[in-house]
Amino acid sequence: KWGLEGIPPLLLGALRFVGVVFPAILLVPRPTMPWRWLLAYGGAISLGQFAFLFCAMKFGMPAGMASRVALPLAGAGLYLIATHGEGNLTLLGFVLTLCAAACWGLGNVINRQIGLRYQTSLPSLIAWGGLVPILPFFALSWLFEGPDVIATSLLNFRWQGLWCVLYLSLVATWLGYGLW
């Protein structure tokens, strides 16, 4: 959520995956699979999941609650939190988080199919799958957030934003996906 204080959500997604991809794609080979699988994986688990998730948090989904929405057993807890918990939950934020969870699930199904069909290393899949969402994120940011907001965000980039992008790129993606 801190990264969203100075960076709009779709631009944050683009910057996250620029950090994931470079210089990694110079160091690891492209996975040995058809591009359609790489596009499906990167489109679902990278673009879809984080476009919806970052927008959800920007438009009213509390960060702590966003991580709980994907867990099916938390349904009753979600209701209680939504009605008695943090007061800044919005319907738009909640729906966008559900879409992010659906993309995460779809990405995991695609990942499983890739694992069954192709021999590939996780670093290759992370690096090259992370290449997929960069241009769509920048295009969506341009379309929905606007060139003025992008320029202002980049010209006023603070240390907090840099640390958030580095955390999302290196820790959350490389370490998190690697452990997952």
Side-chain angles (χ1 to χ4, degrees):
K1 183 110 181 168
W2 288 344
L4 295 171
E5 289 178 15
I7 307 168
L10 298 170
L11 181 60
L12 179 61
L15 296 174
R16 173 190 185 151
F17 287 99
V18 166
V20 167
V21 169
F22 297 105
I25 63 167
L26 302 174
L27 304 172
V28 296
R30 187 177 76 79
T32 54
M33 68 180 74
W35 275 101
R36 68 179 183 275
W37 284 102
L38 197 57
L39 291 170
Y41 174 78
I45 207 152
S46 299
L47 177 62
Q49 179 184 183
F50 293 104
F52 287 119
L53 183 62
F54 290 165
C55 287
M57 292 189 325
K58 179 70 175 179
F59 296 116
M61 174 56 86
M65 191 169 164
S67 63
R68 292 176 184 90
V69 171
L71 302 172
L73 297 177
L78 283 175
Y79 175 77
L80 291 172
I81 292 170
T83 58
H84 299 94
E86 298 179 54
N88 57 354
L89 173 68
T90 64
L91 179 60
L92 177 59
F94 185 77
V95 169
L96 289 170
T97 304
L98 291 177
C99 293
C103 288
W104 182 27
L106 177 61
N108 285 328
V109 169
I110 293 168
N111 190 23
R112 175 71 177 140
Q113 290 301 309
I114 288 170
L116 292 172
R117 297 169 189 233
Y118 306 101
Q119 294 292 327
T120 188
S121 72
L122 185 60
S124 291
L125 190 58
I126 291 172
W128 289 85
L131 188 61
V132 172
I134 293 173
L135 288 178
F137 261 127
F138 276 123
L140 289 168
S141 181
W142 185 271
L143 181 65
F144 291 108
E145 297 162 345
D148 293 337
V149 171
I150 294 170
T152 300
S153 297
L154 294 176
L155 290 172
N156 296 310
F157 206 73
R158 299 184 329 219
W159 282 105
Q160 177 180 330
L162 175 62
W163 287 119
C164 288
V165 169
L166 289 174
Y167 172 81
L168 290 170
S169 301
L170 303 176
V171 178
T173 303
W174 280 104
L175 182 62
Y177 279 61
L179 292 174
W180 180 258

